[in-house]
Amino acid sequence: MHTVNGLRLDVECSGDGEPVVLVHGSWSDLRAWDALAFPDTLRVIRYSRRGHSASECPPGQGTIADDVADLAALVQTVGPAHLVGNSLGAEIALRLAVDRPELVRSLALHEPGFWSLAPDDPAVIAMRARLAPAVERLAAGGREAGTRAFADALFGPGAWDGAMPDALKRVMLANAMTFVDEERAPDYGALDTARLPVVPTLLTLGEETDAAFVVVTERLAALLPHAERVTIAGAGHIPHRTHPDVYAELVTRFVTTARARR
């Protein structure tokens, strides 16, 4: 455990060399990255965000800005870093690059859910409609019902009762209530598009992902014309779990190339 931005956060480090910080998405924790193997020439730092699993959960309604501040404080302990983020973790990483570009060497972002970039798109509207029952059921005290609704909305009908691993179900159930806090945060989905950073950026999509993430990633790619965009064959929203070897190789190549450009 490390004290970061005044909170006790669960942090793990491995390897040596330039720092690479992994930022997980909603319903998860640092174990999301367990299947990834990076070379020892990279210093990989992963952590559980505030309120997730072993990390401290402060009282009251949190904000996404709180998560950004936590990440900034963590990066400051190791120096400017390459940031790898999935879903909401990708949003947090990009927002840090907007606020504190001097802390960011590169960004590898997989499917950030910046719905505000395409609020009127039918695919985004449909996704938001599918996710709403999860928040409602969780807020009413139905942890398993809300988690099931989320899994089926994101991964397809029947996902929860299908082939989803039991270990993933346990982590999602343990962190379910953080999703309500995130969805109700006043700055959820906010992005200052006027101040987007010019840093090496990799935008990745899963070939099998929901159309809403395709739309948002396309909008973001238009705002970041320097970014490299890669579609991961056969993958969806969590390639670090379903295609870990491919994803680790992709991120490692990108980070190594970004490092060589400086």
Side-chain angles (χ1 to χ4, degrees):
M1 300 291 285
H2 291 63
T3 299
V4 177
N5 195 28
L7 292 178
R8 296 283 289 172
L9 299 185
D10 193 11
V11 181
E12 293 183 359
C13 304
S14 63
D16 198 4
E18 290 199 2
V20 177
V21 180
L22 310 180
V23 191
H24 68 79
S26 301
W27 303 80
S28 192
D29 60 22
L30 59 77
R31 290 170 290 178
W33 313 103
D34 276 355
L36 297 184
F38 291 107
D40 290 339
T41 52
L42 296 176
R43 184 183 182 191
V44 178
I45 300 104
R46 57 182 187 162
Y47 71 108
S48 295
R49 295 192 289 110
R50 60 169 57 208
H52 291 75
S53 294
S55 288
E56 185 178 350
C57 183
Q61 172 65 59
T63 66
I64 306 304
D66 293 332
D67 276 296
V68 175
D70 293 344
L71 178 57
L74 179 59
V75 171
Q76 285 177 302
T77 68
V78 297
H82 304 273
L83 306 182
V84 179
N86 171 256
S87 196
L88 184 57
E91 297 175 47
I92 293 165
L94 180 54
R95 284 189 50 170
L96 177 61
V98 169
D99 293 345
R100 300 287 304 277
E102 75 279 6
L103 296 179
V104 181
R105 287 179 170 167
S106 73
L107 293 165
L109 311 175
H110 187 77
E111 300 185 3
F114 283 117
W115 309 129
S116 59
L117 294 181
D120 299 322
D121 186 272
V124 171
I125 292 171
M127 172 62 83
R128 299 295 289 154
R130 292 199 304 274
L131 290 175
V135 179
E136 294 168 2
R137 290 168 188 172
L138 288 171
R143 183 182 292 262
E144 183 165 350
T147 307
R148 181 190 302 272
F150 175 83
D152 289 354
L154 196 65
F155 304 118
W160 183 258
D161 292 321
M164 184 173 287
D166 288 341
L168 178 56
K169 288 182 179 181
R170 288 193 293 271
V171 172
M172 290 181 67
L173 284 167
N175 292 289
M177 297 312 298
T178 60
F179 186 65
V180 178
D181 201 46
E182 291 164 356
E183 286 278 318
R184 291 179 173 177
D187 54 348
Y188 177 75
L191 179 64
D192 186 351
T193 57
R195 296 193 300 129
L196 291 177
V198 182
V199 300
T201 302
L202 172 67
L203 297 176
T204 56
L205 272 171
E207 182 183 36
E208 306 298 330
T209 200
D210 189 272
F213 291 113
V214 177
V215 169
V216 170
T217 300
E218 287 177 346
R219 298 286 176 91
L220 193 56
L223 294 168
L224 298 169
H226 61 283
E228 177 184 356
R229 180 176 165 185
V230 175
T231 298
I232 303 173
H237 193 55
I238 49 175
H240 48 291
R241 288 185 181 272
T242 61
H243 295 68
D245 294 343
V246 173
Y247 187 68
E249 182 179 356
L250 180 62
V251 170
T252 299
R253 177 195 59 77
F254 171 71
V255 168
T256 301
T257 301
R259 180 173 55 186
R261 288 184 202 166
R262 298 204 316 273

